[in-house]
Every structure is written in C-alpha cells, then in structure tokens.
Amino acid sequence: MGSQGGFGQSKEFLDLVKSIGETRSKAEEDRIVLHEIETLKRRIIEPDIPKRKMKEYIIRLVYVEMLGHDASFGYIHAVKMTHDDSLLLKRTGYLAVTLFLNEDHDLIILIVNTIQKDLKSDNYLVVCAALNAVCKLINEETIPAVLPQVIELLGHSKEAVRKKAIMALHRFYQKSPSSVSHLISNFRKKLCDNDPGVMGATLCPLFDLITVDVNSCKDLVVSFVSILKQVAERRLPKSYDYHQMPAPFIQIKLLKILALLGSGDKQASENMYTVIGDIIRKSDSSSNIGNAVLYECICCVSSIYPNAKLLEAAADVIARFLKSDSHNLKYMGIDALGRLIKLSPEIAEQHQLAVIDCLEDPDDTLKRKTFELLYKMTKSSNVEVIVDRMIDYMINISDDHYKTDIASRCVELAEQFAPSNHWFIQTMNKVFEHAGDLVNIKVAHNLMRLIAEGFGEDDDAADSQLRSSAVESYLRIIGEPKLPSVFLQVICWVLGEYGTADGKYSASYITGKLCDVAEAYSNDETVKAYAISALMKIYAFEISARRKVDILPECQSLVEELLASHSTDLQQRAYELQALVSLDAQAVQSILPQDASCEDIEVDKDLSFLNGYVQQALERGAQPYIPEDVRRGMEDMSNFSSQNQHESSTHGLRFEAYELPKPPVPTKVAPVSLASSADLVPVSEAFYSRETNQGSSVASASEAGSSELKLRLDGVQRKWGRPTYSASSTSDSASQKSVNGMSQVDGTSAVSSKVRDSYDSKKPLQIDPEKQKLAASLFGGSTKPEKRPSASNEVPKAGANAADRTQGSKVAAVTVEVAGEKTNDQPPPDLLDLSESTVTNTPPSVDPFKQLEGLLDPSLSSTTDHSVSAASKAPDIMALYADTTASGQSGSGGYSIPPSGDSVNLISELSNAAVLASPESPLQSVKGPNPKDSLEKDALVRQMGVNPTSQNPNLFRDLFG
C-alpha cells in the first residue's frame, strides 16, 4: 500500500505516519511533528497547488492537531476547502473545520454562508455534511441564521437527512432552549417516523425535555411502551441488532425515559410492568450488552411504582451478577442491590455472604462500592460488624479523601445504631485515633453534643454511664503519644465537663492530666485553649460544691505562662481563670453552672433591652439609626454623578497636589527654624513672582531661574517682608530689619527667607546665640567674599550694603515696608546650623546683627538699645538712591557692578548716603566697615569658595545637596 500510495495519499505522508508510530519517546515524536509543521508552512502557501495536494495537506494538518501541536496557520485553507464544488473536497474541508475550530472562533462567520448554501443543495450527502458542521460549529448567535432551513429538512425524503436534522435541533436546544421552545411538537411527530433511526434520534431530545418537566410528556407513556414492545419483539430490521440483541441502545434509552415517567405514578407504572418483565425474561445474560439492558431494567424497576414480581425478577438478576466471576458484573450487582434496598430491605439479607465476599476482593473499586452498600444496609443487628469492617479498611487505605468519608460514615452509623455506650465510645476512639485530623470538626462537635445530651431523654442513669465510660477511656488514652488535635479537643472538653461528675476521680488528678496535655502539645494553641477552659470548669465546680480548691504547682505555672502569652485568646482565658478562683461559690455557680452545656441560649437579635435608652436619646435630639442598606443606597445616589472620577482616582495614580498647610496660631515671637530640602517643590511662575515681589522695590537676579525648583510658601507665616495671613502686629513687626542703620533688600536672600519660612512651618526653632558664636568662629566670622562678577551677573538692589556680600553662615533678607511701620529685631536663622534647638518665646539677649564682624565696632556689639534706636531711625535707602547712577541699573531693578569695580567704592557710597540721610543718628560715626579690614576678610573667605549672594543662585542646592 505504501508503494502505491494507498487511499490516494502520497508516500511522504505514509512515511510520516509510519515514523511517528515507530517513535520511542515524546521528544522524538515532537521533533518529527515540528519538522512536518515547517514543511507544511512552506508548501501550503505555494501558488497553484493542485486540489489533490491541498486535500493531503489539510489531512496532514489534522494529523498534526491530533498529536497536540498548533496548526492554526492552515485553518483558513480548510475553510476555503468547504467552498469547493467537489463533494470529496467539501467533506474533507468540513471534517477539518469541525476538528480545528470551536463555536466561538473568529472564522465561523466565514462558514455560515457556505452552510446555508449547502443546506439547500440537491445532493443529500452535501446536506448531511453541512448538518454535521451545524452541530459542531453553530453557536447561540448564529442559530437564527440556519434554523429555518434545518426545520425544512425535517421533511426531507432521505432518512439520513431527517435524522441529522433532529440531531441539529437537539443541539440547538442544548445551546439555547428558548430558540427551539416552539418546536417541541416536531420532536413528538418524529417519534412516529417510519425510519427507526429517526425515531431513535428523537428519543435523545425527548429525554432531555422529560428530565426538565416530567408532566409535559406523561401522555407519551403509551407510545414509549408500544415502541419498546416492538423493539423487544424484534420487529425492527436486522441491521439494528447488536450481538443478537434487538436495538439494545434504543431499549436502554426507552427504559431511562420510562423510569422518569413512572416515578411515583402508579397508573403510568402499570402500563410498563408487562414489557419490562418480558425484557428481563428474554434478555441474554451471556453478553455484555445483554447485561447492560438487564441492569437498566433493574434501575427502572427501582424507580417506578413497586411491583412484587418485578422485584423478584430483579433480585434473581442481581444474584447472577454477584455470583459471577467478573468484577464488572459484581460491581453492577452491588450497585443494583443498593438501589433495591430502599424498596425491599429483605433482599439485602439474602446476599450478605456475597457482599462480604466482595469486601474481601482485592479490587479496591469493588470494595468501595460494597462499603456504600453496607452503609445502606446497616441496622442495629449488624452495625458492629459493618462498622468494624469499615474501620479496618480505613486503617489500611492511604486515600485521605476516602478515609475522611469512611470516618464520617462510621460516626453516623455509631450514633444511629450503637448497641451500647461502651461500644460507642470505643468506636469513636478508634475513628479519631486512626483518622486523625482528617475527621471533620463537625464530627467532633457532634460527639461532644451527643455525650452531653445522652441517649435517653428520661434515662439519667444511662447518660451518666455514657459519660463515665467516656471519661475512663479518655484518661486511659490521654497518655498515648501524638494524638490528633481534634481528638484532644474532645478529650479536654469531656474531662472538663464530666471528669469529676461521678466522684470517682479527684479534681487534682484531672487537672494534672489536663496540664500534662497542655505541656505536651504546647505548639497547638487550640488544644491549650481547650485545656485551660477545662481547668476553669473543674475549679468552678469545686468552688460551687464549696470544696477546697488546691491549685497544683504545674497548673499555676501554666496559668502564669499563659498570662504572658502572645495569643490574646489564651491570655483572656488565663485571666478569667485567675479571676474566677477568687470569687465566692454563689457567683461561680451563676457564671459556670454544672452540666449546662446543652441549655439553650436565648439571643435577642433586635436588642430590645436597649429600646428605653434609644428612646431617651431620640428625645434629647439624637439622629435615628439608618439601616446599612439604606445608607448604601444614599451613598450610591450621591456618588452616581461622580462615579467615573471616583473610579479613576481609586484605580489610577493621583497627580493632584497635597492640601495646603493650615496656618499656625501666631505667637509674640515667631519661632525660627531650618527647613529640609524636601520642601523644594515646583511652584507656578505667577505664585513665585507674587511672593517675591511684595515690596515696592523687590526684583533680583534670581528671576531668571524662576522656572527651577522653588519654595512653596502658601499658608506659611513670613519672617521678612509683608505678612501673608497673620494680622498680629507682633508678628508683623518681625518683617523688617535694619542693619547699620539701613534696610537690606536682596533677591537671593529673599528666596532664602522663603526657605526659612518653609522650615518655620515644620520645625519651629530658636537659634541659640552660643551656636551662632560657634559658627562665626568656625567659618571665619559671618562675612564671606563675593566672586568676581561678570558682565551678565547681577547683584542685590541699592539697599544692599557690604554685609549682603559678606554674610557666610547667615543669609538675611529684609523687604522694605511702608515708612513709619514699627520694626522689631528678629534674629535670622543660621542656614549652616541644621541642628534642632528648643523653641522659646523670649527674644535673644544679643542681637546677632551686631555681632557681624567688620560691620559694627566691637565696642557696640554688646549693646542692644542702640541697634533698636538705629533701626527705628533708619532712612529709606531705596528712595534715597532712586536717581543715583541710572546707568548701572539692570533690567531687574538692581545695580550692576562693573567687572573692574572695587567693592570698597560701593561700600563707601552706601555709607555716605546713609550718613547724609540721617545726620542726627548717633551711630553715624561708626557706620560702614573699615575698608582695609573688609578687604582682608573678603580675601580670607574667598578662599573658602562659598558666595551666598545673588552671584551664586544655587546656594541652597549647594548647602543641602
């Protein structure tokens, strides 16, 4: 066949199939398939491929997909092949498409038109191929496009077409029941179709309809019985026989339908008895298909209204199944026996030995099915044998899931059918001991509830005996190692409730055992909690009985340990125990009454005891309570308009600025503090210019760098310049300074004042004069030289004197205020001193401006009153120099120093101007620095490389990194 290219395929394709079949590993198979994929990718896009070759390529793509690899690159070619006029190619295309695509694939839309066209074809083979594709590919959205044509095909002359049309409608019903709800009558009509194949196909959608609504098809019982009778009497063609059984699959489907229709309906069931009996009698049990029909008959008999003859016949069939050597038949017999037990319990007694034999069978599946049967067969007379068998099987299996199921069933059977209290307690101990923590916690709670409630309602002696037996067994088991946590919880609870109830064991003995448990399982907080609660109960019962309570040393140490436990639950229990021991008998009896674990606790969910309090609060004007659902509704309505904004703010990044800081309460002496570099934030140009241009002559060289990082001063009290928000005259007085009898105005120092302001808003500090002295001594005084200016550099305005260019550790800025305003001396902060100091409201005793080296005479630096008087009489320097040296005025309103200019000349001019403005000032004789001393200090500080004036606009970035 390989040499001739069997079935029209090339030798290359046959070699591919052969090579894959001979591979010995998955890796080798993947290598061959990946190589085939690369070959197909290359060949399938070649132009003018013959149809025979394309058909082979599509089949090879199907082979690639079957082996688990992706062949999506060829899907479109399979879709194109469905459009071909050749029947062979069209059917190949439909086959490939149904294997490649699912109902939600994007290429489905390209096939709908082809399917519509093919459903109208005169060739019934093309129609059948299209109907096959309809069942696989049409989804809920495209059902209306093909539904009318499928309905028309129900009357097609070919039975194959009618059968596939029924199958298509059944598929539509599964996908969208509402789309074919008006076509149910078509299913009823086709039940009487002349062709058995069409009738058999109709049974499937009818079964689904009956499963949903049994009463909708009650009138069809006679029709179904008639059809089943005809099938059983072999009236169908021989072609429907399977292993000499007449249409067995139609029989099975009809039996399932009759089981649904006859359930609980005596009249409908009476119509079925005869035909079911005939099938049981005629069926051949020598073949698997015959046994399948018999099993379905038993299921039908167990579902419909009971009939004695049918039950006997079903029991005989079950006996044959159980006696068979086949495990499959035994499994069916066990399952069928479990179904009949509900109707006839005595049937199970006849097969107990056969059931026990199944328990001994090495087939684990058969064992599990047998235990399900035993669970249904259990009663008081056989509970001990069955439960013991189940526990033995539970011990030997390793399947935790099934072990949990067996344990819960053992507990349930022991609770219902326990012959004695002693057996019940022993059984529970075995279950907990061997199942361990796999036992559901509800089982433990049920056991504790059962011990507390007892078996008999009025038999107190039996209940006491049950509890005593439990206490004895638990005291014997408690010493074993590695007990499950759930079992220990039960043991602690029972010992705490009933350990001393019968007086057989003393409180000291029980408490000692409980302390041993808590110590042995110190890592299990739940067990320790149960143990400490059990101790509390025992001590409470002893106090209530007015007996002396002797707390053992180990119990005392346990309580002390739990008092310092990291677990708040254990801590609370220990504190409660400590408090309980100190109470009197009457109080303890009210708190923990004996044997009251099963008393009902009435819970007032409406909290009616608070009605009086609530009414009083409402009368005093309190708001009434709004239920949670009403509150949520109100919030939804209020937030409905801003839902989009809320979602965006919740799920996205927030870019809006922080809230402005609230203004602090002004004090008499505003604190001075240093700011951190984190307060350097970008601010708008308008805001920056508004803050820096408070005075009439505020303009500096720093305007050129206003687009860089600047200080945010909104809501911060100003120390220099005009106040921003404070109306206090005390704080306003700190906004003006006079040094050497003149006001200072410096653009760069104005920016530095904003740095100070931002520091003040965060850490109000008072600069210690001692630290200022130390800074002056460390940094060579407070004067720093200025770099040699270039033609493009700018210097402070006319109000600046030599101190503006020589300040080193202190950068001060003073905004010119309205003439006549009161001014107070305020010490400027030292920017080089980043340490914190205590904030005081007392002004410094020494004015730091008087200590500036080179500006004042040392003899005057120790006095304060002279500085105050000089400041009060300081002239308006800006007005004085308004018309001076107009050629030196820069665009920003400051003075420009020529590159060759000498700083001494400028200092002299400023000093002379100040003298002319205020001849009556007592400090005129000492104003201005000595030119020689100033030059020496400038040379000294110039070596340090720090220039705090407007020549270095990046001063703060240099200082703070």
Short mmCIF file of all heavy atoms in Angstrom, two decimals, residues 432-434 436 474-485 487-488 491 516-517 520-521:
data_model
loop_
_atom_site.label_atom_id
_atom_site.label_comp_id
_atom_site.label_asym_id
_atom_site.label_seq_id
_atom_site.Cartn_x
_atom_site.Cartn_y
_atom_site.Cartn_z
N PHE A 432 -11.20 8.43 65.76
CA PHE A 432 -10.36 9.62 65.96
C PHE A 432 -8.88 9.26 65.99
O PHE A 432 -8.03 10.02 65.51
CB PHE A 432 -10.74 10.33 67.26
CG PHE A 432 -11.96 11.19 67.14
CD1 PHE A 432 -13.15 10.82 67.73
CD2 PHE A 432 -11.93 12.37 66.41
CE1 PHE A 432 -14.28 11.61 67.61
CE2 PHE A 432 -13.06 13.17 66.29
CZ PHE A 432 -14.24 12.78 66.89
N GLU A 433 -8.58 8.10 66.55
CA GLU A 433 -7.17 7.73 66.67
C GLU A 433 -6.55 7.41 65.33
O GLU A 433 -5.39 7.77 65.06
CB GLU A 433 -7.06 6.53 67.61
CG GLU A 433 -5.64 6.13 67.93
CD GLU A 433 -5.58 4.99 68.94
OE1 GLU A 433 -6.66 4.58 69.43
OE2 GLU A 433 -4.47 4.53 69.24
N HIS A 434 -7.28 6.76 64.44
CA HIS A 434 -6.71 6.32 63.16
C HIS A 434 -6.98 7.31 62.03
O HIS A 434 -6.16 7.41 61.10
CB HIS A 434 -7.27 4.94 62.79
CG HIS A 434 -6.89 3.86 63.74
ND1 HIS A 434 -5.59 3.40 63.87
CD2 HIS A 434 -7.64 3.14 64.62
CE1 HIS A 434 -5.55 2.45 64.78
NE2 HIS A 434 -6.78 2.26 65.25
N GLY A 436 -7.32 10.54 62.57
CA GLY A 436 -6.55 11.74 62.90
C GLY A 436 -7.32 13.02 62.61
O GLY A 436 -8.53 13.12 62.79
N TYR A 474 -10.95 8.07 78.01
CA TYR A 474 -10.09 9.19 77.65
C TYR A 474 -8.90 9.32 78.59
O TYR A 474 -7.79 9.68 78.17
CB TYR A 474 -10.90 10.49 77.62
CG TYR A 474 -11.89 10.55 76.48
CD1 TYR A 474 -13.04 11.33 76.58
CD2 TYR A 474 -11.71 9.80 75.33
CE1 TYR A 474 -13.96 11.38 75.54
CE2 TYR A 474 -12.63 9.83 74.29
CZ TYR A 474 -13.75 10.62 74.40
OH TYR A 474 -14.65 10.66 73.38
N LEU A 475 -9.11 9.03 79.88
CA LEU A 475 -7.98 9.05 80.81
C LEU A 475 -6.97 7.96 80.47
O LEU A 475 -5.77 8.11 80.73
CB LEU A 475 -8.48 8.89 82.24
CG LEU A 475 -9.22 10.09 82.84
CD1 LEU A 475 -9.77 9.76 84.22
CD2 LEU A 475 -8.29 11.30 82.93
N ARG A 476 -7.44 6.87 79.91
CA ARG A 476 -6.54 5.80 79.52
C ARG A 476 -5.79 6.14 78.23
O ARG A 476 -4.63 5.77 78.05
CB ARG A 476 -7.35 4.51 79.35
CG ARG A 476 -6.49 3.28 79.05
CD ARG A 476 -7.31 2.01 79.09
NE ARG A 476 -8.40 2.02 78.11
CZ ARG A 476 -9.69 2.20 78.42
NH1 ARG A 476 -10.06 2.39 79.69
NH2 ARG A 476 -10.62 2.21 77.47
N ILE A 477 -6.43 6.85 77.34
CA ILE A 477 -5.82 7.17 76.04
C ILE A 477 -4.94 8.41 76.11
O ILE A 477 -4.00 8.58 75.32
CB ILE A 477 -6.94 7.38 74.99
CG1 ILE A 477 -7.70 6.06 74.78
CG2 ILE A 477 -6.38 7.86 73.66
CD1 ILE A 477 -8.91 6.21 73.87
N ILE A 478 -5.19 9.28 77.08
CA ILE A 478 -4.56 10.60 77.07
C ILE A 478 -3.04 10.53 77.17
O ILE A 478 -2.33 11.46 76.78
CB ILE A 478 -5.15 11.45 78.23
CG1 ILE A 478 -4.91 12.93 77.98
CG2 ILE A 478 -4.54 11.03 79.56
CD1 ILE A 478 -5.63 13.82 78.95
N GLY A 479 -2.53 9.42 77.66
CA GLY A 479 -1.09 9.30 77.78
C GLY A 479 -0.39 8.83 76.51
O GLY A 479 0.85 8.84 76.46
N GLU A 480 -1.14 8.44 75.50
CA GLU A 480 -0.50 7.97 74.27
C GLU A 480 0.10 9.14 73.50
O GLU A 480 -0.42 10.26 73.53
CB GLU A 480 -1.54 7.24 73.40
CG GLU A 480 -2.09 5.98 74.05
CD GLU A 480 -3.05 5.25 73.13
OE1 GLU A 480 -3.22 5.72 71.97
OE2 GLU A 480 -3.63 4.24 73.56
N PRO A 481 1.20 8.90 72.82
CA PRO A 481 1.86 10.00 72.10
C PRO A 481 1.17 10.31 70.78
O PRO A 481 0.54 9.44 70.15
CB PRO A 481 3.28 9.46 71.86
CG PRO A 481 3.10 7.98 71.80
CD PRO A 481 1.98 7.65 72.75
N LYS A 482 1.29 11.57 70.35
CA LYS A 482 0.86 12.04 69.03
C LYS A 482 -0.60 11.73 68.75
O LYS A 482 -0.96 11.10 67.77
CB LYS A 482 1.73 11.40 67.94
CG LYS A 482 3.20 11.81 68.01
CD LYS A 482 4.00 11.20 66.88
CE LYS A 482 5.45 11.62 66.96
NZ LYS A 482 6.27 11.03 65.85
N LEU A 483 -1.44 12.20 69.64
CA LEU A 483 -2.87 12.11 69.40
C LEU A 483 -3.31 13.25 68.49
O LEU A 483 -2.74 14.35 68.54
CB LEU A 483 -3.64 12.16 70.72
CG LEU A 483 -3.46 10.97 71.65
CD1 LEU A 483 -4.16 11.21 72.97
CD2 LEU A 483 -4.01 9.69 71.00
N PRO A 484 -4.31 13.03 67.64
CA PRO A 484 -4.78 14.12 66.77
C PRO A 484 -5.33 15.29 67.56
O PRO A 484 -5.87 15.13 68.67
CB PRO A 484 -5.87 13.44 65.92
CG PRO A 484 -5.60 11.98 66.04
CD PRO A 484 -5.01 11.78 67.38
N SER A 485 -5.22 16.47 66.98
CA SER A 485 -5.66 17.68 67.66
C SER A 485 -7.16 17.66 67.91
O SER A 485 -7.62 18.05 68.99
CB SER A 485 -5.28 18.91 66.82
OG SER A 485 -5.77 20.09 67.40
N PHE A 487 -9.08 15.07 68.35
CA PHE A 487 -9.35 14.11 69.43
C PHE A 487 -9.00 14.72 70.78
O PHE A 487 -9.73 14.54 71.77
CB PHE A 487 -8.57 12.83 69.17
CG PHE A 487 -8.99 11.67 70.02
CD1 PHE A 487 -10.26 11.62 70.58
CD2 PHE A 487 -8.12 10.62 70.27
CE1 PHE A 487 -10.66 10.54 71.35
CE2 PHE A 487 -8.50 9.54 71.04
CZ PHE A 487 -9.78 9.51 71.59
N LEU A 488 -7.90 15.44 70.86
CA LEU A 488 -7.51 16.09 72.12
C LEU A 488 -8.53 17.14 72.55
O LEU A 488 -8.79 17.33 73.75
CB LEU A 488 -6.13 16.72 71.97
CG LEU A 488 -4.95 15.74 71.88
CD1 LEU A 488 -3.68 16.47 71.50
CD2 LEU A 488 -4.76 15.02 73.22
N ILE A 491 -11.27 15.24 74.14
CA ILE A 491 -10.85 14.72 75.45
C ILE A 491 -10.87 15.82 76.50
O ILE A 491 -11.40 15.65 77.61
CB ILE A 491 -9.46 14.08 75.34
CG1 ILE A 491 -9.52 12.80 74.50
CG2 ILE A 491 -8.88 13.79 76.72
CD1 ILE A 491 -8.17 12.18 74.23
N ASP A 516 -0.74 18.20 81.81
CA ASP A 516 0.19 17.38 81.01
C ASP A 516 -0.13 17.50 79.52
O ASP A 516 0.78 17.57 78.68
CB ASP A 516 0.11 15.92 81.47
CG ASP A 516 0.61 15.73 82.88
OD1 ASP A 516 1.35 16.61 83.37
OD2 ASP A 516 0.28 14.70 83.51
N VAL A 517 -1.41 17.52 79.18
CA VAL A 517 -1.80 17.67 77.78
C VAL A 517 -1.34 19.02 77.23
O VAL A 517 -0.77 19.13 76.14
CB VAL A 517 -3.32 17.50 77.62
CG1 VAL A 517 -3.76 17.87 76.21
CG2 VAL A 517 -3.73 16.08 77.94
N ALA A 520 2.42 18.92 76.79
CA ALA A 520 2.88 18.03 75.72
C ALA A 520 2.58 18.59 74.35
O ALA A 520 3.31 18.33 73.39
CB ALA A 520 2.24 16.65 75.89
N TYR A 521 1.52 19.36 74.22
CA TYR A 521 1.13 19.94 72.92
C TYR A 521 1.16 21.46 73.02
O TYR A 521 0.18 22.16 72.74
CB TYR A 521 -0.26 19.45 72.52
CG TYR A 521 -0.36 17.96 72.38
CD1 TYR A 521 -0.71 17.16 73.47
CD2 TYR A 521 -0.08 17.33 71.18
CE1 TYR A 521 -0.78 15.78 73.35
CE2 TYR A 521 -0.15 15.95 71.05
CZ TYR A 521 -0.51 15.19 72.14
OH TYR A 521 -0.58 13.82 72.01
#
